[in-house]
Amino acid sequence: MRILGIETSCDETGVALYDSERGLLEHALFSQVDLHADYGGVVPELASRDHVRKLLPLVRQVMERSGTAPADLDGIAYTAGPGLVGALMVGACAGRALAYGWDVPAVEIHHMEGHLLAPMLEENPPAFPFVALLVSGGHTQLVDVRGLGEYELLGESLDDAAGEAFDKAAKMLDLDYPGGPRLAALAEKGDPSRFTFPRPMTDRPGLDFSFSGLKTYTLTTVRDNALEDGLPDEQTCADIAAAFQEAVVDTLVIKCRRALKATGRKTLVVAGGVSANKLLRERLEAALAKEGATACYPRHEFCTDNGAMIAYAGYLRLKAGQRADLGVEVRPRWPMTELQGGLAG
């Protein structure tokens, strides 16, 4: 099977072709980082308009570079949620229209399921069952994954997601958008032992997360150490960034170890934008090695939103018999637990 994947859930336009026999044939991505940088965050209307401009040229590019004609396709997969409603509509309408025009089936893909399956595009993919840590700007979830569509939510953030907390902490330190990667880079220059930040909800049982208190603690630390211009000196900013990052990473590692122990699993899949964080990978690998468990990640370019993960998820869903009808429906909020037994609920 050869599947065209389309991803337009937020601020990156991704298109890819996956072949069940040859693997990933081609993928292309256009990031809107420069477009939104002046606003310090994603502007939904601008994101939607840019998807309209970039999507079909990327489809043509991927098809031409892979030597694929419409007649070679066996299906088209597109992200139907969760995400920004306008951005989702662009990809869903285009994907459904192309599928109709080219007389191939279409399939709706859950964005976070795409992230969850992204490590399976690597040379040594994880096998079901496993525990997944889905950690991005909008989601922080621990999921017990028994198979395609067989998901049990073990824990999630009760307020800010980890990636969102990174971005907000970066704004407090006056770092440019996108803040998360810039805060991580600044943290490498800091001393994490200078400030002691809390590890939220680790002093009680359970697998839920909460990062809003950590965000408030960060703001208080910034203000307590601020100079006349409202910010601490450069080294203090780096030290705060390092302490903040340590607190988030430690919290994620503690909860991941608990989840593996609770389920008896020996494999942890980590996916989503924050999975690219260098310190998180180092701490997880060290902690899991002591317990005979392993961590699996997507390559760095597939940690953030991309069409490859949607194309691969589309292949699995089409293979399982799922099809989208002629109507176009997107779901800005879509619990992943509603995906059951290989078919969307």
Side-chain angles (χ1 to χ4, degrees):
M1 295 178 70
R2 186 170 294 191
I3 309 300
L4 178 71
I6 294 173
E7 157 60 25
T8 62
S9 65
C10 190
D11 61 342
E12 289 171 312
T13 311
V15 178
L17 271 167
Y18 179 81
D19 188 283
S20 58
E21 295 183 0
R22 297 169 55 192
L24 186 63
L25 300 180
E26 188 70 41
H27 68 95
L29 182 74
F30 180 83
S31 174
Q32 300 177 2
V33 166
D34 292 342
L35 175 66
H36 301 288
D38 290 342
Y39 304 94
V42 177
V43 181
E45 178 65 20
L46 295 181
S48 302
R49 292 181 182 182
D50 211 50
H51 286 309
V52 171
R53 286 191 289 265
K54 298 299 191 302
L55 180 55
L56 291 182
L58 285 181
V59 170
R60 285 193 290 269
Q61 175 185 317
V62 166
M63 297 282 282
E64 290 172 1
R65 288 185 178 179
S66 63
T68 298
D72 300 324
L73 291 177
D74 296 290
I76 296 177
Y78 57 87
T79 303
L84 302 176
V85 63
L88 290 168
M89 284 297 296
V90 175
C93 289
R96 196 64 198 83
L98 289 173
Y100 182 79
W102 291 343
D103 194 26
V104 295
V107 63
E108 303 165 333
I109 299 301
H110 190 289
H111 178 75
M112 296 310 295
E113 183 177 64
H115 277 303
L116 183 151
L117 297 171
M120 294 186 175
L121 290 165
E122 304 307 316
E123 290 186 3
N124 297 305
F128 299 122
F130 53 78
V131 169
L133 171 66
L134 301 177
V135 57
S136 66
H139 299 82
T140 299
Q141 298 176 325
L142 279 165
V143 183
D144 187 32
V145 181
R146 301 183 181 92
L148 181 67
E150 298 179 25
Y151 310 131
E152 179 186 354
L153 182 64
L154 302 173
E156 63 183 338
S157 180
L158 304 178
D159 38 62
D160 291 352
E164 185 180 7
F166 262 98
D167 289 339
K168 290 181 177 178
K171 281 189 176 182
M172 297 172 196
L173 295 171
D174 198 31
L175 299 177
D176 292 335
Y177 173 85
R182 297 184 188 278
L183 186 144
L186 178 63
E188 293 187 2
K189 304 175 184 177
D191 175 8
S193 65
R194 180 177 171 186
F195 300 102
T196 301
F197 279 36
R199 273 59 172 165
M201 296 186 70
T202 58
D203 59 348
R204 68 194 75 175
L207 295 171
D208 286 329
F209 302 89
S210 173
F211 294 105
S212 64
L214 183 60
K215 177 185 65 179
T216 302
Y217 193 94
T218 304
L219 179 60
T220 300
T221 305
V222 170
R223 289 176 173 173
D224 288 347
N225 291 273
L227 303 176
E228 291 183 1
D229 63 356
L231 283 173
D233 61 71
E234 184 175 345
Q235 184 58 53
T236 300
C237 284
D239 295 341
I240 292 172
F244 171 85
Q245 180 176 240
E246 288 267 343
V248 173
V249 166
D250 281 354
T251 300
L252 294 173
V253 171
I254 290 169
K255 297 295 178 121
C256 285
R257 293 179 65 188
R258 286 184 187 176
L260 290 171
K261 184 177 181 179
T263 59
R265 309 292 188 211
K266 291 297 183 181
T267 302
L268 176 72
V269 162
V270 187
V274 182
S275 69
N277 183 277
K278 180 181 177 182
L279 182 64
L280 176 61
R281 293 193 177 203
E282 291 175 352
R283 293 288 173 83
L284 277 174
E285 289 170 8
L288 269 56
K290 297 177 182 178
E291 301 175 11
T294 57
C296 300
Y297 315 88
R299 69 195 74 170
H300 275 76
E301 62 184 318
F302 292 160
C303 289
T304 52
D305 299 347
N306 63 88
M309 68 183 191
I310 303 304
Y312 180 72
Y315 157 65
L316 294 181
R317 286 282 168 184
L318 286 165
K319 183 181 176 182
Q322 181 176 329
R323 302 288 187 274
D325 57 30
L326 287 175
V328 176
E329 180 183 3
V330 297
R331 300 179 64 178
R333 297 184 181 275
W334 187 4
M336 198 168 66
T337 50
E338 293 184 6
L339 300 174
Q340 298 295 330
L343 294 176

